[in-house]
């Protein structure tokens, strides 16, 4: 088994906010992230795929195909978007890095499986210091 990784970057705005809570509660839990006027991040999405090497190509999966899947299925929807308002697959959800990583997994997993490879990990870096890794369970 061998692992390959593709990174893509996107920039987006969001707000962390629980609509069932008072403004004070939101402020207390989410701090500046609850800012009504939103704030932005430059995210790095790293997608790791595992599989066996195809004897006809030497590849687990063609990285051009992986790049196109990531771009078409998620980056196009997320880049320069307001994650709370603009992204259909995030409607009604928290826009935390954790939730984003899980939703990205759900979208990419079946598309990658079409290429005889298996999604292994989604890593989403929200800042230089904060990142989430999701392995699908
Ligand atoms: Ni934030």
């Amino acid at each position: 088994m061998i692992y390959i990784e593709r990174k893509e970057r996107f920039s987006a705005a969001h707000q962390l906010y629980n609509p069932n809570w008072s403004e004070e509660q939101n402020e207390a839990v989410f701090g500046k992230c609850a800012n009504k006027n939103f704030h932005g991040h430059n995210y790095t999405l790293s997608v790791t795929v595992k599989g066996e090497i195809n004897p006809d190509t030497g590849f687990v999966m063609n990285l051009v195909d992986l790049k196109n899947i990531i771009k078409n299925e998620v980056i196009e929807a997320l880049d320069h978007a307001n994650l709370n308002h603009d992204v259909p697959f995030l409607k009604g959800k928290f826009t935390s890095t954790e939730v984003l990583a899980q939703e990205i997994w759900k979208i990419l997993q079946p598309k990658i499986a079409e290429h005889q490879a298996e999604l292994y990990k989604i890593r989403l870096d929200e800042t230089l210091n904060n990142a989430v890794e999701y392995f699908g369970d």
Side-chain angles (χ1 to χ4, degrees):
M1 196 66 73
I2 196 153
Y3 298 77
I4 60 171
E5 185 190 78
R6 172 78 194 178
K7 282 191 207 299
E8 295 291 337
R9 290 159 194 86
F10 63 95
S11 302
H14 78 155
Q15 177 199 36
L16 296 179
Y17 191 83
N18 185 330
N20 301 317
W21 290 353
S22 68
E23 231 165 89
E24 292 71 32
Q25 247 174 316
N26 273 289
E27 184 78 42
V29 172
F30 298 120
K32 279 195 295 190
C33 294
N35 180 352
K36 278 197 278 296
N37 294 324
F38 301 90
H39 65 277
H41 296 285
N42 295 316
Y43 292 90
T44 301
L45 170 63
S46 308
V47 177
T48 309
V49 169
K50 73 174 181 179
E52 300 295 347
I53 294 176
N54 180 331
D56 294 327
T57 60
F59 295 157
V60 170
M61 174 179 174
N62 193 319
L63 277 166
V64 175
D65 293 333
L66 183 56
K67 175 183 102 176
N68 288 336
I69 290 170
I70 299 167
K71 284 203 160 177
N72 297 338
E73 302 297 330
V74 295
I75 300 296
E76 216 158 275
L78 297 171
D79 194 30
H80 289 73
N82 178 319
L83 301 181
N84 296 79
H85 291 165
D86 301 339
V87 182
F89 62 81
L90 295 174
K91 271 273 176 291
K93 300 196 162 76
F94 286 109
T95 57
S96 65
T97 318
E98 290 89 329
V99 170
L100 262 165
Q102 278 194 323
E103 296 305 314
I104 290 169
W105 176 286
K106 285 186 210 164
I107 292 167
L108 294 184
Q109 190 274 330
K111 299 285 173 190
I112 289 166
E114 289 172 13
H115 291 259
Q116 286 73 51
E118 193 183 328
L119 179 56
Y120 174 68
K121 180 175 85 177
I122 295 293
R123 179 185 168 101
L124 189 58
D125 288 69
E126 189 187 53
T127 68
L128 288 179
N129 298 324
N130 298 340
V132 161
E133 292 191 322
Y134 184 55
F135 297 85
D137 51 17

